[in-house]
Amino acid sequence: MAGAAMPSSTVKANIDTNKSYLFPFILVTSLFFLWGFAYGLLDILNKHFQDVLEVTKRRSTLLQFAYFGAYFLMALPAGFFMNKYGYKKGILLGLVLYATGAFLFYPAAGALSFNGFLAALFILACGLACLETAANPYVTILGKSETSEFRLNLSQCFNGAGSSLGAFIGGQLFLEDKTGVANAAKDLSIVQMTYIVIGIVVVLIAMFFFRTPLPEIREDREAGNDAAAKAKPLFSHSHFIWGIITQFFYVAAQVGVAALFINYVTEYWQGTTSKQASSLLAIALGLFLAGRFVGTAIMRKIKPNKLLMIYAFINVLLCMVVIAGQGELSVYGLMAIFFFMSIMFPSIFALGVKDLGVHTKRASSFQIMAIVGGAVVPYVMGTLADLQSTAVAYAVPMICFAVVFYFGGWGYRQR
């Protein structure tokens, strides 16, 4: 248990918690890798389009706006879709949209259209919103309630692996090793082919899901439990409200930290190229992955809310180091932030939807909607970077981590 002040009325899913759901768990966990890979490429595209399409830092963050704005718009429809048709069909819908968006990168690159990329990325991210809305609660329910945070953190480890691999591959394929802008058509042809391959892989995975039986989880509708649920509406759960608020600020911090990473490294570590900076980003995302494994292991001994609080406090301090702009030291501090961000999203998610019973699917949709923080706040950072400096822009994630600190200490409590 995460440590609630008092138990809330719950409705248990109609599954046998003594039964092993290992294979469904593995299959759904593969989706975490899939959307992590897409996210890893995003921050590389941010810098790549600054160079090739000559967009400003502020405008380049519209990629994050399209990506995470899709989560905001798609999360509730995805939740309604799954309430009616189930988790499996929700996953298939997500995979179809993911593949469609990936294939649309081809005409966008052919037209050298930044707006075309925004549209393709928006459709792709609508698919990811469906996948996350389905996979996150699905993993928390596939087993005992007291180990839900552990299972979600374990699955999210593979999300970190996908992000790290995506950043590494994107950096090697899209960015130059030397100063100067490469031939735009050549560079964007590489982007074209990369996303065509991604689209084909996603289609194959969708076919595999279509042919594989998965246990469908539906809540029991016992009269007593329904009455309890109606007596305590979703928005009367304070930990759920704080979970949404905190998820907004956390995702804002995570996306903002990564979005301007390459800009920060090339500006404050003298002589570093964009391609070298992308390698450091891949290492930072590797630290994010390592943090997931380490944090998941630590949660065997320390309650998730306490670990969340400790990690958030450390990141507030590390942001101060980054704001100072002290060359290599500040870059290392920036990379360390990724390690301590690692357990935040799944911990906030699991604590925010814990013991909500029949409200779980709808609560999950609102949690995913909160990812819109990743659309709004990076634009603020891009504006600050253009008007002041990239280092000053990192004051924004520092404030966001302070909100996470509060949630880990007090906001998570069920009242």
Side-chain angles (χ1 to χ4, degrees), residues 380-391:
V380 176
M381 289 184 66
T383 301
L384 279 174
D386 283 336
L387 297 178
Q388 297 291 326
S389 70
T390 306

Side-chain angles (χ1 to χ4, degrees), residues 240-407:
F240 162 70
I241 301 295
W242 270 109
I244 294 174
I245 294 170
T246 306
Q247 203 67 276
F248 177 94
F249 283 101
Y250 165 66
V251 176
Q254 178 187 327
V255 176
V257 165
L260 296 181
F261 182 95
I262 295 176
N263 290 101
Y264 187 92
V265 173
T266 54
E267 291 170 21
Y268 292 92
W269 191 332
Q270 189 174 3
T272 305
T273 66
S274 293
K275 189 168 186 176
Q276 290 168 337
S278 74
S279 296
L280 291 177
L281 176 59
I283 293 172
L285 289 168
L287 291 174
F288 187 89
L289 171 61
R292 282 266 164 87
F293 283 105
V294 172
T296 301
I298 293 175
M299 281 184 193
R300 293 288 195 179
K301 302 294 183 181
I302 300 177
K303 291 181 178 179
N305 68 286
K306 289 186 178 179
L307 191 61
L308 182 66
M309 188 179 182
I310 294 168
Y311 276 21
F313 181 73
I314 292 172
N315 270 355
V316 169
L317 298 179
L318 288 172
C319 282
M320 294 179 182
V321 175
V322 175
I323 294 168
Q326 297 299 307
E328 297 177 22
L329 175 64
S330 291
V331 171
Y332 290 138
L334 178 57
M335 294 173 69
I337 289 174
F338 285 78
F339 180 89
F340 295 104
M341 287 195 299
S342 57
I343 56 95
M344 291 185 180
F345 178 87
S347 296
I348 295 166
F349 188 99
L351 291 168
V353 302
K354 196 172 186 67
D355 293 335
L356 292 180
V358 293
H359 298 308
T360 300
K361 285 182 181 177
R362 195 155 64 98
S364 171
S365 296
F366 282 109
Q367 282 266 5
I368 298 301
M369 285 181 71
I371 290 176
V372 73
V376 177
V377 175
Y379 189 78
V380 176
M381 289 184 66
T383 301
L384 279 174
D386 283 336
L387 297 178
Q388 297 291 326
S389 70
T390 306
V392 169
Y394 278 88
V396 176
M398 181 181 70
I399 296 170
C400 295
F401 287 126
V403 176
V404 178
F405 174 80
Y406 174 81
F407 180 75

Side-chain angles (χ1 to χ4, degrees), residues 19-31 88 91 138-139 142 151 155 205 208-215:
K19 181 180 177 181
S20 173
Y21 289 93
L22 179 60
F23 182 71
F25 176 76
I26 292 172
L27 193 58
V28 176
T29 296
S30 69
L31 298 175
K88 181 175 179 178
I91 290 170
Y138 197 83
V139 166
L142 280 176
R151 286 194 304 278
S155 293
I205 292 174
F208 186 71
F209 264 94
F210 180 76
R211 296 178 61 85
T212 302
L214 290 176

Side-chain angles (χ1 to χ4, degrees), residues 28-44 67-68 71 95 98 124-125 127-129 131-132 135-136 155-170 195 198 202 205 254 258 281-282 285-286 288-289 292 338 345:
V28 176
T29 296
S30 69
L31 298 175
F32 287 75
F33 179 89
L34 208 57
W35 75 67
F37 188 84
Y39 175 69
L41 288 173
L42 180 63
D43 299 315
I44 303 300
Y67 188 94
F68 292 98
Y71 276 82
L95 291 170
Y98 188 162
L124 185 152
L128 301 185
L131 295 181
E132 291 217 41
N136 282 302
S155 293
Q156 288 279 356
C157 288
F158 293 88
N159 175 264
S163 297
S164 181
L165 184 61
F168 177 77
I169 291 176
Y195 277 87
I198 290 172
V202 173
I205 292 174
Q254 178 187 327
L281 176 59
L285 289 168
F288 187 89
L289 171 61
R292 282 266 164 87
F338 285 78
F345 178 87

